[in-house]
């Protein structure tokens, strides 16, 4: 098992998981800021 | 009798405090071990499915129960369940939401103090140093001996014999926790979260960069580490144990089923959002777990020890990885003393933000239901924690036993009660209306069915599987540590029931059932 380099599938799962997490963070904090600005305008 | 309830100062502070509650030692130690053991990248399929079908729904349920409590002026499941279910037993079931976090914190604070002790010893160069040898076992032995010495596990008989410094670091950790709680929700917990959370992220990124630039004499680098963690083994997907492991990891990492989220959510205003706040807290936690947690300990271990040895280390549990393998690696890299200090300080901060959250339901119970001031509540909690912590500190086997009943089975049972009482006993339509009102985003209607049917079923399956898997070996234990832990839990349960009965009798001016 030595020399277990990251392969294409592994890179895909890692990239996908990281993307989902980063997207979730961007979405939730964008919504918070959007609603904060909206409430201030109202 | 009632004390004016506090509120969070800012929304960011609330989200960081909730994320701080969820981000603990498990993000950096448990997750990579679970993922590597259960199919690598393929593990993320059941993990993400569990996040959607179990984690996020339970998180929102706990947030909704907390906001419901905020409306009524109560911060624990004791009173919230009593409002939702007009049955005298409801408040006693709700007491699990105080008992579970309170009992977990009895041993969690002690483990947290080890990270502070290790951090201090790293700084002063007091951790073992060992020459590089071919055999991993020999290489790790001094670090194993150090852990055994500091926890006093090498003693004979049923009593542990930790040295004075271990006890002193426990006292320091306890005092730090109590001081934060003494300062209150906004000036204590929120302020600490605003400082500790960015520091956790900075320290984790620093360690991640260091690990990604490590190479071994054999030519291994971070791609080997990432390969070990992420290369998928698709055959694992047909194994039910892998799905249960993923569900368990999601459950633990989001810290649902403790009652702490309910209490934290009770300090929002009654018409504040819960949907995006809950999602943001979970997102920050997942960042710490999947991106940072998955890129430090196990990657470093694979680079340094190789895949086979890392698999052996990981099979002995997350503690071997965090408290032996990592300091052993840092002992032989440039500026390793500094990186070891940062690693354990990171774990300490992650621990503190979790332990203060676990203490808060007890504080809320004393303030909201008994009418004690915060100061008096914190003093009482401090006395209790100081006395009770002597059980896991000095009695062999007690920590593991308490962790099984409360930190494993108890969480699932309480989460199941939360879902069932809210969506089945209270009224599913009213529960859903309570869930979706005043939110900044719309929770999709699909989650109504997930919360009512899927999440409770998922919990029942997890509970049954864990009972069959672990209960026989736990029940076969007849040592003094196991029985002391069981007696302690029984005592707390009985004491809690008596206190609630007396409090409700006094409140209602009549005999409670």
């Amino acid at each position: 098992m030595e020399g277990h380099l990251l392969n294409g599938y592994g890179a895909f799962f890692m990239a996908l998981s990281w993307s989902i997490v980063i997207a979730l963070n961007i979405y939730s904090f964008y919504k918070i800021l959007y609603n904060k600005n909206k409430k201030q305008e109202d | 009798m009632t004390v004016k309830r506090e509120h969070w100062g800012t929304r960011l502070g609330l989200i960081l405090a909730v994320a701080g509650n969820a981000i603990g030692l498990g993000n950096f130690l448990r997750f990579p071990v679970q993922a590597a053991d259960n199919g690598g990248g393929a593990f993320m399929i059941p993990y993400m499915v569990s996040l959607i079908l179990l984690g996020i729904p339970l998180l929102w349920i706990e947030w909704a129960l907390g906001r419901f409590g905020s409306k009524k002026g109560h911060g624990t499941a004791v009173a919230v369940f009593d409002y939702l279910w007009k049955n005298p037993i409801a408040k006693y079931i709700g007491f699990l939401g105080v008992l579970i976090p309170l009992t977990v914190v009895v041993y969690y604070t002690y483990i947290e103090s080890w990270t502070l002790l290790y951090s201090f010893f790293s700084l002063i160069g007091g951790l073992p140093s060992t020459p590089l040898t071919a055999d991993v076992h020999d290489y790790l032995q001094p670090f194993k001996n150090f852990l055994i010495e500091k926890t006093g596990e090498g003693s004979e008989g049923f009593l542990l014999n930790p040295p004075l410094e271990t006890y002193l670091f426990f006292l320091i950790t306890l005092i730090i926790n109590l001081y934060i709680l003494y300062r209150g929700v906004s000036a204590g917990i929120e302020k600490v979260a605003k400082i500790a959370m960015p520091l956790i992220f900075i320290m984790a990124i620093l360690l991640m960069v260091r690990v990604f630039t490590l190479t071994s004499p054999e030519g291994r680098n971070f791609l080997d580490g990432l390969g070990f963690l992420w290369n998928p083994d698709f055959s694992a997907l047909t194994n039910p144990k892998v799905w249960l492991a993923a569900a368990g990891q999601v459950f633990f990492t989001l810290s649902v089923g403790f009652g702490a989220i309910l209490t934290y959510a009770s300090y929002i205003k009654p018409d504040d959002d819960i949907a995006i706040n809950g999602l943001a807290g979970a997102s920050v936690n997942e960042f710490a777990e999947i991106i940072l947690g998955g890129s430090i300990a196990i990657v470093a271990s694979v680079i340094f020890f190789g895949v086979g040895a890392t698999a052996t280390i990981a099979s002995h549990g997350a503690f071997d990885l965090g408290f032996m393998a990592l300091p052993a690696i840092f002992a032989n890299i440039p500026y390793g003393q500094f990186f070891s200090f940062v690693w354990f300080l990171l774990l300490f901060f992650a621990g503190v933000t979790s332990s203060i959250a676990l203490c808060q339901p007890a504080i809320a119970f004393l303030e909201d239901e008994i009418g004690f001031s915060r100061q008096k509540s914190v003093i009482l909690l401090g006395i209790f924690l100081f006395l009770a912590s002597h059980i896991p500190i000095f009695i062999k086997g007690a920590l593991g036993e308490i962790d099984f009943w409360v930190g494993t089975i108890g969480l699932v049972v309480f989460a199941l009660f939360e879902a069932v009482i809210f969506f089945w006993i209270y009224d599913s339509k009213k529960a859903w209306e309570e869930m979706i009102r005043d939110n900044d985003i719309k929770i999709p209607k699909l989650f109504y069915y997930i919360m009512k049917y899927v999440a409770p079923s998922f919990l029942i399956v997890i509970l049954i599987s864990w009972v069959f898997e672990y209960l026989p070996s736990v029940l076969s234990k007849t040592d003094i540590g196991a029985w002391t832990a069981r007696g302690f839990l029984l005592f707390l349960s009985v004491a809690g029931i008596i206190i609630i009965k007396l409090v409700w009798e006094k409140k209602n001016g009549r005999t409670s059932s």
Side-chain angles (χ1 to χ4, degrees):
Chain A
M1 282 178 80
E2 298 295 323
H4 204 80
L5 270 176
L6 184 69
N7 63 27
Y9 285 119
F12 170 75
F13 273 101
M14 185 179 141
L16 185 68
S17 303
W18 282 34
S19 303
I20 292 171
V21 168
I22 291 167
L24 261 177
N25 275 278
I26 292 171
Y27 171 76
S28 47
F29 283 98
Y30 165 75
K31 278 286 176 189
I32 287 168
L33 284 174
Y34 174 79
N35 282 293
K36 189 183 172 190
N37 293 338
K38 204 173 147 194
K39 275 175 191 165
Q40 278 173 351
E41 281 170 20
D42 293 343
Chain B
M1 169 141 162
T2 50
V3 177
K4 191 177 181 299
R5 299 197 83 243
E6 291 183 272
H7 290 294
W8 298 101
T10 62
R11 192 171 189 181
L12 181 68
L14 160 68
I15 291 166
L16 290 178
V18 171
N21 165 37
I23 297 172
L25 274 59
N27 292 59
F28 297 94
L29 296 174
R30 197 176 187 276
F31 167 74
V33 170
Q34 287 291 313
D37 273 355
N38 291 290
F43 178 76
M44 294 315 291
I45 295 173
Y47 185 94
M48 289 295 175
V49 170
S50 303
L51 192 66
I52 294 164
L53 297 183
L54 184 75
I56 302 290
L58 288 175
L59 197 69
W60 275 334
I61 286 175
E62 210 162 302
W63 270 90
L65 291 171
R67 185 173 63 176
F68 181 86
S70 161
K71 201 164 60 178
K72 306 282 184 186
H74 297 275
T76 64
V78 180
V80 171
F81 282 10
D82 194 45
Y83 276 110
L84 296 174
W85 185 15
K86 300 295 170 202
N87 186 312
I89 203 172
K91 56 185 174 290
Y92 300 113
I93 294 173
F95 183 65
L96 284 174
V98 178
L99 180 74
I100 290 171
L102 183 64
T103 318
V104 169
V105 91
V106 166
Y107 62 84
Y108 194 88
T109 318
Y110 181 47
I111 295 170
E112 192 181 305
S113 74
W114 299 351
T115 62
L116 187 64
L117 180 143
Y118 266 73
S119 189
F120 174 77
F121 274 83
S122 300
L123 197 64
I124 63 164
L127 290 186
S129 60
T130 176
L132 282 167
T133 54
D135 187 77
V136 174
H137 182 262
D138 289 343
Y139 187 74
L140 288 179
Q141 196 57 45
F143 298 90
K144 190 173 185 176
N145 293 342
F146 184 83
L147 183 64
I148 290 171
E149 185 216 326
K150 294 302 172 201
T151 54
E153 279 189 31
S155 63
E156 291 191 1
F158 71 92
L159 284 178
L160 297 164
N161 186 24
L164 182 65
E165 62 263 28
T166 303
Y167 194 71
L168 284 176
F169 274 93
F170 160 70
L171 289 179
I172 293 167
T173 306
L174 182 62
I175 290 166
I176 290 171
N177 275 277
L178 293 172
Y179 178 72
I180 296 166
L181 293 163
Y182 184 82
R183 299 275 299 155
V185 172
S186 184
I189 297 171
E190 184 175 341
K191 202 170 175 183
V192 165
K194 280 180 172 172
I195 298 166
M197 291 300 290
L199 281 175
I200 287 172
F201 278 79
I202 291 167
M203 288 190 284
I205 290 166
L206 184 72
L207 288 165
M208 188 175 156
V209 170
R210 184 66 195 98
V211 167
F212 277 28
T213 51
L214 275 176
T215 49
S216 75
E218 294 83 14
R220 285 187 298 270
N221 63 27
F222 75 101
L223 290 174
D224 291 276
L226 291 176
F228 178 66
L229 185 65
W230 289 101
N231 288 352
D233 168 15
F234 291 109
S235 67
L237 293 176
T238 57
N239 184 352
K241 279 192 173 178
V242 170
W243 287 80
L244 284 167
Q249 180 58 29
V250 165
F251 192 82
F252 285 128
T253 191
L254 292 176
S255 293
V256 283
F258 280 101
I261 295 169
L262 189 157
T263 300
Y264 269 14
S266 77
Y267 295 109
I268 63 171
K269 298 200 174 73
D271 55 353
D272 275 352
D273 162 276
I274 57 164
I276 201 73
N277 283 343
L279 199 61
S283 305
V284 174
N285 174 66
E286 291 308 319
F287 190 96
E289 173 146 309
I290 293 172
I291 297 181
L292 302 175
S295 304
I296 301 173
I298 210 125
V299 177
S301 180
V302 170
I303 297 169
F304 211 78
F305 300 119
V307 168
T310 299
T312 310
I313 294 166
S315 69
H316 292 140
F319 269 50
D320 279 26
L321 187 65
F323 287 86
M324 292 180 212
L326 260 286
I329 293 165
F330 292 133
N332 272 301
I333 64 169
Y335 307 106
Q337 215 171 303
F338 168 73
F339 287 109
S340 183
F341 163 72
V342 171
W343 165 247
F344 286 110
L345 196 65
L346 158 75
L347 293 184
F348 177 70
F349 280 176
V352 168
T353 51
S354 300
S355 58
I356 52 177
L358 294 173
C359 287
Q360 193 57 32
I363 302 280
F365 178 78
L366 294 172
E367 286 182 337
D368 300 338
E369 310 310 333
I370 304 185
F372 286 167
S373 66
R374 186 172 68 235
Q375 286 78 0
K376 196 173 174 182
S377 305
V378 173
I379 290 167
L380 270 176
L381 177 78
I383 294 168
F384 168 78
L385 287 179
F386 172 72
L387 294 175
S389 294
H390 284 75
I391 295 173
I393 294 174
F394 290 110
I395 299 178
K396 213 176 265 182
L399 195 154
E401 185 77 14
I402 300 172
D403 181 51
F404 171 75
W405 290 108
V406 183
T408 307
I409 298 292
L411 300 182
V412 186
V413 170
F414 182 62
L416 186 60
F417 274 125
E418 286 183 311
V420 169
I421 289 177
F422 202 26
F423 270 85
W424 286 89
I425 294 174
Y426 174 53
D427 184 306
S428 59
K429 286 202 169 47
K430 280 199 262 178
W432 181 246
E433 281 165 18
E434 179 63 35
M435 179 75 62
I436 59 171
R437 72 173 175 84
D438 297 317
N439 290 332
D440 290 343
I441 55 165
K442 192 175 174 233
I443 299 177
K445 178 78 181 181
L446 177 68
F447 276 95
Y448 168 81
Y449 301 101
I450 295 176
M451 287 172 190
K452 186 168 178 182
Y453 301 104
V454 181
S457 309
F458 217 146
L459 287 171
I460 290 168
V461 172
I462 293 173
L463 189 61
I464 291 171
S465 75
W466 285 358
V467 162
F468 275 100
E469 190 176 350
Y470 303 119
L471 202 58
S473 66
V474 172
L475 286 179
S476 68
K477 284 183 194 165
T478 52
D479 55 283
I480 292 174
W483 281 110
T484 308
R486 290 167 197 163
F488 170 64
L489 293 175
L490 185 68
F491 166 77
L492 281 186
S493 306
V494 173
I497 289 168
I498 293 169
I499 291 168
I500 291 168
K501 190 172 166 58
L502 293 174
V503 168
W504 252 252
E505 278 177 8
K506 199 174 172 188
K507 263 188 192 180
N508 298 334
R510 62 181 169 81
T511 305
S512 173
S513 306

